[in-house]
Amino acid sequence: KIYITGMVHLHHYRPHLDKKCPRDLFPYTVNAIADVKAPMAPRYTSLARQRADRAIRSHTDRIPWMLTAHLPLFGPTAGEAALVVNGTRVPWIPMQPTVVDTTFHHYAENTHPSQDIYLVHIDFFHPDLSDDEIHALSVLHTNLETAKADRAKELKPMIQQLEAAFKL
């Protein structure tokens, strides 16, 4: 396998960063996503391409409150492109959606020698979450950048003192 991943995401909706969907760039996709009844997770929705004869190394997303849906749009039709989750191969067949729990180790591969696969990647909240949990996670991620900046500001004097203490 070639581990130059070949996976490219073109993000068009990241709810924790973008308040507005760029409907002018992806009108049909964004309108279809807007009709989805599942609450969108604060990661992203993207158009993705897995290049031919490429794979992504096995990893886990370690996000137990989120599931990922893939809708292959076009590409190999004989199951050469797939997501392998916890040892189970889930083929990406155009226009056949899949939902996976990426807290399990997984990797993507496209063994077709010349044909890339293109898919819609959508992260959404796990259906076992309560409305309060979804709200809390949404608020947390909406304010994450502000919290990081505030923390850095508070730590700066301590970091400066430590740096001064260790200078010779």
Side-chain angles (χ1 to χ4, degrees):
K1 289 183 183 169
I2 299 173
Y3 283 109
I4 300 170
T5 68
M7 179 63 83
V8 176
H9 285 269
L10 175 59
H11 301 293
H12 63 81
Y13 179 55
R14 295 180 294 176
H16 66 291
L17 299 176
D18 306 323
K19 298 295 182 194
K20 193 174 177 185
C21 295
R23 293 181 189 277
D24 56 326
L25 297 177
F26 307 99
Y28 298 110
T29 304
V30 172
N31 288 335
I33 291 167
D35 290 338
V36 173
K37 302 302 180 213
M40 303 298 246
R43 195 158 79 152
Y44 55 73
T45 297
S46 61
L47 298 174
R49 177 188 74 183
Q50 178 65 52
R51 290 182 55 201
D53 199 30
R54 298 286 189 270
I56 297 173
R57 291 186 186 273
S58 183
H59 65 283
T60 176
D61 292 344
R62 294 180 275 173
I63 306 174
W65 43 265
M66 184 184 74
L67 297 176
T68 298
H70 289 145
L71 175 60
L73 300 174
F74 55 91
T77 58
E80 299 97 336
L83 191 67
V84 180
V85 181
N86 207 29
T88 301
R89 194 165 196 283
V90 181
W92 283 331
I93 306 296
M95 303 316 293
Q96 293 184 12
T98 59
V99 175
V100 295
D101 182 344
T102 59
T103 57
F104 294 99
H105 280 272
H106 62 282
Y107 63 91
E109 66 181 4
N110 182 0
T111 59
H112 195 281
S114 62
Q115 194 173 11
D116 296 348
I117 188 157
Y118 294 83
L119 55 100
V120 176
H121 174 119
I122 302 171
D123 294 324
F124 60 96
F125 285 110
H126 197 288
D128 290 342
L129 292 175
S130 70
D131 289 343
D132 288 341
E133 290 168 322
I134 290 172
H135 177 73
L137 288 164
S138 297
V139 169
L140 172 70
H141 285 274
T142 298
N143 296 302
L144 187 58
E145 293 304 315
T146 302
K148 284 181 183 179
D150 290 347
R151 180 173 169 80
K153 185 178 174 182
E154 289 182 27
L155 290 175
K156 188 174 182 175
M158 184 186 347
I159 292 169
Q160 289 172 336
Q161 289 173 354
L162 286 170
E163 289 173 344
F166 286 100
K167 284 185 180 178
L168 296 177

